């Protein structure tokens, strides 16, 4: 008897999932023990690249999540609603859920996992972060013997593509974005990607798994790449860096990773100067990567395609295989009464992690200033930084822009709050015309 799967959505990812399920040969044997029972679509008659029997297609998504015959519901429609409500209904009906929906999980994880634990079902989300890269299961299982110090990721393919193209062509953000939209690499409304929101959802999910606490999304600092200019990329290059949109979750610098869970966590997304020899510096174009530092393992990096039909479907199907394995072995009888919770697959934390304020972050900074070309300007800058305890690693004046001198400063590690105090002082200097960019340095 095959376990019955209901698929919500037959777009890019849904089609990828159906394709794998329709051709199980040569893949995991458990794929032979699941069948695509119903598929929810928006339009029945839409031309498709996949042949799905018309009798299993329906536009009634509610009928799928309440279908008593189904064992598992796969949600790949995306967006917040009706995805969230459909997931909750499926759970209430005693169905396991596989979702690729980072936006729903990052915002409603608390509600969804509480409901799932009560109902004795699993909500699996390998596809929600970094597409085809297996990172959820390693964090839940394979790295369990470690204390995690940091998770640093390039989690958004669109922005990584744009930054790579900017770096390779010397052109500015707006031009490359337009080109990426024409090529279909960037959405018509690119906000979620270029403003760091998509990466914010993903790092909140990874932080939660790596450090064992729920994350309030509005406490995650999310800064995108709109303000990164071709000039910054050129200066970064000269200084030995590339610019990447990094998503970081880590125990704050100077805090030991010890017996107890960390008192506070840093969870943030921002464009960052990454040293050219750093493993993440060479992750280009639409690729994603996640570098995890753990004790005693050390560094481990996961690299691969972060989006697309095949890679995302690969992650969805890995979750389906896990669930079918449980159903087959009888570890879950799929009823709330038995309420067997597999400790490696269920969500086991219920508290919210404390997120450290950005002012307390200790990091290096890069800043670019446009100033009058007067004697003593660099001296005044140095004094403002020095009086706030900000130590400078390098100061370069390489050119002029519109008659103004362009000065680039890289600091040593500083408290972000101190750095911003110094910038407030600097903005009051007569010779300072403009501070076009402030970026963090890894
Ligand atoms: N929009 C995402 C990206 C892919 O550009 O990486 C889906 O998460």
């Amino acid at each position: 008897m095959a376990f019955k799967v209901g698929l919500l959505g037959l777009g890019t990812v849904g089609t990828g999932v159906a394709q794998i399920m329709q051709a199980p040969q040569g893949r995991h044997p458990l794929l032979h023990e699941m069948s695509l029972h119903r598929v929810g679509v928006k339009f029945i008659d839409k031309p498709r690249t996949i042949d799905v029997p018309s009798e299993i297609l329906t536009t009634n998504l509610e009928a799928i999540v309440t279908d008593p015959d189904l064992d598992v519901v796969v949600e790949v429609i995306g967006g917040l609603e009706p995805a969230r409500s459909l997931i909750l209904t499926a759970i209430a009906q005693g169905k396991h859920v596989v979702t690729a929906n980072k936006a729903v999980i990052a915002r409603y994880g608390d509600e969804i996992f509480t409901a799932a634990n009560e109902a004795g079902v699993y909500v699996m989300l390998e596809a929600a972060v970094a597409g085809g890269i297996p990172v959820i299961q390693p964090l839940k299982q394979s790295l369990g013997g470690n204390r995690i110090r940091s998770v640093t990721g390039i989690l958004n393919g669109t922005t990584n593509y744009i930054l790579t193209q900017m770096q390779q062509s010397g052109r500015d953000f707006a031009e490359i974005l337009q080109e990426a939209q024409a090529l279909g690499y960037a959405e018509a409304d690119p906000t979620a990607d270029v403003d760091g929101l998509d990466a914010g959802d993903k790092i909140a999910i990874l932080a939660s798994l790596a450090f064992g606490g729920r994350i309030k999304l509005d406490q995650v600092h999310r800064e995108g790449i709109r303000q990164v200019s071709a000039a910054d990329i050129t200066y970064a290059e000269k200084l030995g860096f590339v610019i990447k949109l990094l998503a970081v979750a880590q125990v704050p610098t100077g805090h030991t990773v010890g017996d107890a869970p960390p008192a506070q966590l840093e969870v943030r997304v921002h464009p960052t100067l990454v040293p050219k020899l750093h493993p993440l510096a060479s992750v280009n174009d639409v690729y994603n990567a996640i570098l995890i530092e753990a004790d005693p393992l050390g560094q481990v990096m996961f690299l691969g395609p972060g989006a697309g039909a095949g890679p995302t479907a690969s992650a969805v199907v890995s979750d389906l295989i896990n669930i079918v394995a449980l159903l087959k072995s009888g570890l879950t009888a799929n009823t709330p009464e038995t309420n067997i919770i597999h400790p490696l697959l269920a969500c086991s934390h219920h508290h919210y992690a404390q997120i450290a304020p950005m002012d307390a972050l200790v990091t290096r900074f890069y800043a670019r200033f446009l100033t009058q070309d007067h004697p003593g300007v660099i001296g005044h800058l140095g004094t403002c930084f020095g009086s706030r305890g900000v130590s400078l690693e390098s100061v370069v004046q390489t050119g002029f822009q519109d008659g103004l001198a362009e000065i680039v400063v890289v600091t040593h590690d500083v408290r972000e709050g101190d750095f911003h105090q110094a910038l407030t002082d600097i903005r009051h200097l007569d010779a300072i015309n403009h501070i076009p960019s402030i970026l963090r340095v890894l």
Side-chain angles (χ1 to χ4, degrees):
M1 182 204 80
F3 295 100
K4 295 189 176 76
V5 177
L7 181 60
L8 301 174
L10 197 57
T12 306
V13 179
T15 300
V17 172
Q19 275 167 343
I20 296 177
M21 291 184 72
Q22 286 180 348
Q25 303 79 5
R27 311 184 204 271
H28 197 288
L30 283 175
L31 274 165
H32 291 279
E33 309 210 18
M34 53 181 101
S35 70
L36 197 52
H37 194 65
R38 297 188 87 173
V39 179
V41 293
K42 224 181 214 164
F43 306 105
I44 297 276
D45 296 328
K46 190 178 155 183
R48 302 181 200 283
T49 54
I50 185 168
D51 202 10
V52 175
S54 58
E55 62 273 17
I56 70 168
L57 290 179
T58 175
T59 53
N60 187 349
L61 304 186
E62 192 72 21
I64 294 186
V65 292
T66 53
D67 182 337
D69 285 344
L70 288 182
D71 300 290
V72 191
V73 168
V74 174
E75 182 277 305
V76 285
I77 54 177
L80 294 180
E81 285 293 354
R84 169 186 155 273
S85 302
L86 290 166
I87 290 172
L88 286 168
T89 306
I91 292 169
Q93 297 283 318
K95 296 179 197 325
H96 303 289
V97 173
V98 175
T99 178
N101 198 324
K102 70 234 127 203
V104 163
I105 295 296
R107 281 161 192 77
Y108 303 109
D110 193 357
E111 182 183 28
I112 287 171
F113 289 110
T114 302
N117 284 351
E118 278 169 17
V121 298
Y122 303 103
V123 176
M124 307 285 281
L125 57 136
E126 187 62 70
V129 179
I133 304 176
V135 64
I136 302 291
Q137 180 142 337
L139 280 172
K140 279 183 175 175
Q141 303 190 16
S142 326
L143 298 175
N146 289 269
R147 290 170 177 151
I148 305 232
R149 152 125 242 132
S150 64
V151 178
T152 308
I154 293 174
L155 298 179
N156 184 267
T158 306
T159 45
N160 204 37
Y161 173 82
I162 292 172
L163 290 171
T164 305
Q165 293 302 311
M166 286 174 73
Q167 192 188 327
Q168 289 173 355
S169 70
R171 287 180 294 153
D172 252 317
F173 169 79
E175 203 182 321
I176 305 281
L177 171 62
Q178 234 177 20
E179 197 175 278
Q181 285 170 318
L183 290 168
Y185 290 163
E187 306 270 351
D189 176 2
T191 311
D193 293 318
V194 302
D195 292 333
L197 310 179
D198 172 79
D201 291 352
K202 292 168 178 168
I203 196 66
I205 293 171
L206 294 185
S208 179
L209 290 164
F211 299 101
R214 290 183 176 155
I215 306 290
K216 290 211 166 89
L217 198 55
D218 59 5
Q219 295 178 348
V220 177
H221 176 87
R222 288 160 291 175
E223 201 180 309
I225 64 163
R226 287 184 203 264
Q227 84 282 18
V228 176
S229 67
D232 295 316
I233 289 188
T234 305
Y235 277 118
E237 162 87 33
K238 284 184 187 150
L239 292 163
F241 299 97
V242 292
I243 300 182
K244 295 287 180 194
L245 184 69
L246 292 191
V248 182
Q250 67 174 34
V251 178
T253 311
H255 291 235
T256 46
V257 183
D259 299 344
Q264 285 202 320
L265 280 183
E266 287 171 9
V267 188
R268 49 193 164 88
V269 176
H270 46 71
T272 313
L273 272 71
V274 177
K276 281 183 192 166
L277 292 179
H278 189 280
L280 289 170
S282 52
V283 177
N284 284 328
D285 292 315
V286 293
Y287 278 89
N288 282 196
I290 301 109
L291 179 71
I292 298 178
E293 288 183 285
D295 176 33
L297 173 66
Q299 288 191 336
V300 61
M301 188 160 110
F302 301 82
L303 165 70
T312 312
S314 156
V316 166
V317 171
S318 76
D319 284 341
L320 276 175
I321 290 170
N322 265 311
I323 287 178
V324 168
L326 287 179
L327 290 169
K328 189 176 155 70
S329 60
L331 272 177
T332 166
N334 207 17
T335 65
E337 292 75 38
T338 54
N339 212 14
I340 302 165
I341 301 281
H342 190 300
L344 291 177
L345 299 182
C347 176
S348 57
H349 48 260
H350 308 287
H351 70 284
Y352 277 89
Q354 289 287 323
I355 307 297
M358 283 301 279
D359 268 5
L361 174 66
V362 175
T363 182
R364 290 193 288 163
F365 276 96
Y366 156 103
R368 184 158 59 91
F369 300 89
L370 290 175
T371 77
Q372 306 295 319
D373 191 25
H374 292 161
V377 174
I378 289 182
H380 289 312
L381 279 177
T383 306
C384 290
F385 279 125
S387 66
R388 298 291 183 179
V390 177
S391 166
L392 301 182
E393 186 179 289
S394 67
V395 181
V396 282
Q397 177 178 353
T398 53
F400 287 90
Q401 219 189 77
D402 304 327
L404 296 166
E406 199 165 34
I407 298 171
V408 169
V409 163
V410 177
T411 72
H412 285 294
D413 268 344
V414 296
R415 264 189 82 254
E416 178 146 342
D418 294 339
F419 180 76
H420 283 297
Q421 294 267 9
L423 286 186
T424 305
D425 300 342
I426 287 167
R427 285 194 180 94
H428 287 112
L429 294 175
D430 287 341
I432 298 295
N433 188 277
H434 188 37
I435 310 177
S437 21
I438 300 159
L439 295 165
R440 296 171 190 81
V441 180
L442 193 65

